[in-house]
Amino acid sequence: MEGKIVAPLDLMQGTVDILVLKALSWGPRHGYAISGWIRERTGGVLTLQDAVLYKSLHRLEERRLLDAEWRPSENNRRAKYYQLTTSGRTALKHEHATWRAYATAVFDVLDANTAGI
Amino acid sequence: MIECEVEEEFAFHLEARTEALIAEGLPPADARMQAASEFGDLSGARAYCRTRDRSAERRRRSFEHLTDLWQDVRIAVRTLRRSPLVTIGAVASFALGIGATTTMFSIGHTLMTSLPYGEVDRLFLVGGYDRSRMTRLGDIGLRVAEARALRDESRATAFGAFEDWPVHLGDGKTNAERLQGSRVTSGLFATLGVRPFLGREFVRSDEQVGASPVVVLGYRAWRDRFRADSSLVGRTVRANGVTARVVGIMPTDFSLGGLDAIWTPLSLERGVLATDTAPHLRMIGRLREGFGYDQAAAEVARLGMQAVRERRGDPAREGLHLFPSADWSVQPEGRRAVYAMTALISLVLVIACGNVANLLLARAAARSRETAIRLSLGAPRAALIRASLVEALVLALAGGVAGSVLAQLGTSQFGRNVANGLPTWIRFRVDGTVFGFALGLVLLAALASGIGPGWRASRLDPLGGLRATERGSTGLRQGRVARELALVQVALATALLLLAGLIVQGARRAVGRDPVPSPQQIANLRIELRRTAYPTAASQAAVVGRILERIRGLPQVVSTTASTATPGFTGPPLEFTVGGLPKDPTTPLIAPVSAVTAGFHKSFEIPILEGREFEVADREGTGRVAIVSRDFADRFFPGRTAVGGTIVVGYPGDPSHPGEHPAEPATIVGVAAGIPSIDGSVGDRRLIYLPYSQVGDERVAIAARVEANPAPFLKSMRQVIFEVDPDIPVFGDRVLADDYHDARAPVIFLAALFSSFGLAGLTLASVGVFALVAFGVRERSREIAIRTALGEARGSILKRLSLAMAIRIGVGLGTGATFGTLASPIVGEVLFSTSPSREPGVYVVVLALIGVVGATALLVPAVRAVRVDPMAALRND
């Protein structure tokens, strides 16, 4: 862990799931691609162990929010590609809204505190 | 599979990340380490992912099974719809089988409904017990002292006692009404766990000597006679000639010992009851809190021993015992009989299963080419079995639905025709248990008829199947099992039909003749004389004589008579001894006894074969006389005349000889012809008649033969009795023919029910044999054609084709006849006393019928096959 202004946050299970769903909203990807995308997007603020990511993928597959398929990767190796199912898409929409409401509520509280100081 | 996939996925990730890091400039070893550290807990993730994958796989597979199953169902339905006649036949087979079995089960199940009391499993009845044989003795009554001992001394059980005690309810404006009910000790209803619907039950003070009389009414009596007037509680009614206060109304379904109209208090205190010595009381008890059945039973056995000793009985041989209250509605023997009947009737279903199995087998044979292809393409054998099971299940479900409707009809008809005398809480309908039973039958039937054909299809050798089809015969040949199926079906049908025949014959005997000529011209009613008003035989005979005389004075009366038992309905069986014969204390002689007035036999047109009938001169104070039936005379006076002989009958209604004191010997003055029984209960036809004027009785049936329509005449008879004494209750007023009709209704219905079961079995079995033979012939059509072409005589081919099957039908007939004969005692026990030895005609008819039906089913397809032009048959291949 490098010295940063904000210490990296550990992610909770539900959080990983929504990030995975979001990562797949642009189309099928394999686990490695999802890992890279999340790393890029969060700029290292959120550390996501790949083990946790794969657990989430297999969990979501079992819950049939994701479909999986083996096919050749960009450099022609066999890779497991995941994609959203219809219920996965619905779940993402729903979770997204919930998260937004949750975050708004948290920010409202934090901003009120700041004004009080 | 799953293990490798997870491994491969992780490996792909780690390698790709390592390569990326090397591309960023890290040395390979560091890159690998960095990638591994970014990955984190590798083995944990591996285990987790595998578990998830396996569970996903399981779900996927079960979903696939479901879709496969659904696919099978759709295929089955489509196949079945393609051959509607066969399908209807199979469904009808199942419907008959399931319907018949479920009807019988439902009847038995309903008869065993538990009593409508609270916590019935802690309720017990006191009954007599034969120690040596460990069996229940018939319903024995207890004396007051014995009941008192049980009630006061038992610690484990709270006992209450009751006895049948009808009440005459009068209002002075019309004939008094007789309500059926009992006298009960206080607190008995609470012991049963039933609270009055209105008011209260009896308390200890109601039992006291000199307490003001009280009654509790049953719901129906209250509703019908008092128009459900809730202000009745606390008011008074005229009961048994005294004024009594109504203190409570019992709830709808309440009955005690089958009686449900009225209850009065019963005291067990010393000297209160006049009938202190006569054993009439029945006792019911509830286990007290903290006591088990064993303690209670031991206690009753101990107290019972004293009771038996006081009766000067043999305590080593008999005693008292606690019986589960469930035995009250149906005795254990009855329960066994019902189960046995259900098992017998289920033979119809077994035959039906045989038919459907055969049908599916034929279907499988026709499809053997398709099956062979599917097998060689790698279809799992389990899938073939499943498909066959599903097809059977679809048929069985359809049959089950139709069968349940049949069972519902059969059960409610049974309730309407047979169950008139049963308590109101027994309701004949198809409930959840019965429905579950039917569903179980459906599954069993599907399994029984589907697994065999499926198994055989799955064992088909794919190559053989294909080759055989090319050569024009089938790959699946009629197996040994299928051929033996015919034997079993014929045997079962024979057994069923034989039993049904015995029942029908028993019923025919029962309903063949009226007990007396032209009962449609006889008006018949019953009265009951209260002991307080008519204490002696003389006073009873006097009032009955007055009533008869006035009825005789009415217009259009041919004759009139009174008796304690109308012909066809036997009187109480009583112990007797015959003068000159030694008394055997172990097996006392018992015969039904009726007390009749002078002119009884003439009036009912019962011929007197020897001697004379009773005359007015036979009355109290003159020499005792008796008339016996011919069967009685033949048995006890063989080879000589019974007239002049003597018998001694302990008649309980005889006031000069109460209790068990020996009665005076009576001289036999006449021998009467026997009376045909009314309901098939052949029973003992040894009857004894005593003159009513000498013995009297409280309950009397009065009959009048009239020239007019007897139905309106009954009103005039009622009026006459009202004028003689308004407190005498009149009940059971009917035209005698209607009484006979009602008494026979159950017999006729049961005979119809069982003969339809038997015919259903016969129909199913003959269809089965026909199909088996037709199937067997079809698969040999090529062989037959070649033989015919080669010039073999048709007769010889016919013999070749049908001999084996004919032998099987013969063996089936023999087996079935034996089985039916062995099972016939069950039928005799449940319904009528028929026995195979008495009905050789049934055997002849059944064997001939099955023989003809079997021969037709055998010969029609075989003859058709040999008639076919051999060239045409060969070309068809």
Side-chain angles (χ1 to χ4, degrees), chain B residues 817-831:
Chain B
T818 315
F819 182 67
T821 308
L822 291 178
S824 63
I826 302 171
V827 178
E829 204 174 293
V830 185
L831 298 167

Side-chain angles (χ1 to χ4, degrees), chain B residues 93 95-107 338 340-352 403 406-407 409-411 414 492-501 503-504 749-765 827 831:
Chain B
S93 293
L96 282 176
I98 292 172
T101 313
T102 308
T103 302
M104 198 60 221
F105 175 81
S106 159
I107 289 169
V338 166
M341 288 306 284
T342 310
L344 274 183
I345 299 307
S346 69
L347 295 185
V348 179
L349 182 58
V350 175
I351 298 176
L406 284 180
L409 277 176
T411 309
F414 180 89
L492 292 180
T494 308
L496 259 179
L497 211 57
L498 207 56
L499 295 172
I503 290 170
V504 170
F749 176 78
L750 286 176
L753 188 70
F754 283 98
S755 38
S756 56
F757 289 163
L759 287 177
L762 174 69
T763 313
L764 295 181
V827 178
L831 298 167

Side-chain angles (χ1 to χ4, degrees), chain B residues 75 81 101 105 114 199 214 216 230 234 337 341 347 370 411 438 510 530 561 566 580 593 631 657 715 758 763:
Chain B
I75 291 173
R81 271 170 58 180
T101 313
F105 175 81
S114 60
V214 289
V216 167
S230 54
M341 288 306 284
L347 295 185
E370 174 198 332
T411 309
R530 240 175 327 111
T561 184
T566 310
V593 177
D631 285 350
H657 304 286
K715 272 209 187 77
T763 313

Side-chain angles (χ1 to χ4, degrees), chain B residues 650-674:
Chain B
Y651 196 81
D654 182 347
S656 55
H657 304 286
E660 295 162 18
H661 298 294
E664 284 172 43
T667 308
I668 296 171
V669 294
V671 175

Side-chain angles (χ1 to χ4, degrees), chain B residues 200-325:
Chain B
R200 62 166 175 90
E201 74 159 302
F202 301 124
V203 292
R204 204 63 181 247
S205 62
D206 293 328
E207 294 178 359
Q208 309 291 307
V209 184
S212 60
V214 289
V215 299
V216 167
L217 278 171
Y219 187 90
R220 279 199 303 173
W222 173 62
R223 186 192 60 195
D224 297 344
R225 208 186 150 84
F226 298 98
R227 291 183 214 87
D229 177 4
S230 54
S231 69
L232 184 70
V233 175
R235 295 220 311 263
T236 58
V237 293
R238 193 170 164 74
N240 286 346
V242 298
T243 303
R245 200 153 40 87
V246 178
V247 294
I249 314 287
M250 293 307 284
T252 18
D253 280 345
F254 182 76
S255 72
L256 183 61
L259 309 180
D260 63 1
I262 196 164
W263 295 274
T264 43
L266 166 71
S267 170
L268 296 181
E269 297 319 310
R270 212 176 288 274
V272 173
L273 292 188
T275 55
D276 230 0
T277 52
H280 284 310
L281 300 181
R282 282 185 282 168
M283 294 203 89
I284 190 163
R286 180 180 290 284
L287 294 189
R288 290 203 169 100
E289 213 54 59
F291 286 93
Y293 172 75
D294 292 339
Q295 286 164 291
E299 202 173 57
V300 166
R302 181 172 55 80
L303 294 168
M305 210 122 80
Q306 290 165 1
V308 171
R309 205 170 290 133
E310 277 162 26
R311 282 190 196 196
R312 291 179 299 278
D314 180 2
R317 216 166 64 82
E318 52 197 86
L320 296 182
H321 190 65
L322 276 184
F323 293 97
S325 60

Side-chain angles (χ1 to χ4, degrees), chain B residues 502-515 568 675-682 685 740 743-748 751 831-834 838-839:
Chain B
L502 288 176
I503 290 170
V504 170
Q505 198 55 20
R508 266 170 49 91
R509 271 175 207 279
V511 300
R513 266 177 65 196
D514 282 322
I675 297 173
S677 81
I678 188 172
D679 59 353
S681 49
V682 177
R685 287 160 191 253
Y740 287 163
R744 282 169 184 157
V747 177
I748 294 173
L831 298 167
F832 315 105
S833 20
T834 51
R838 283 182 52 207
E839 311 287 358

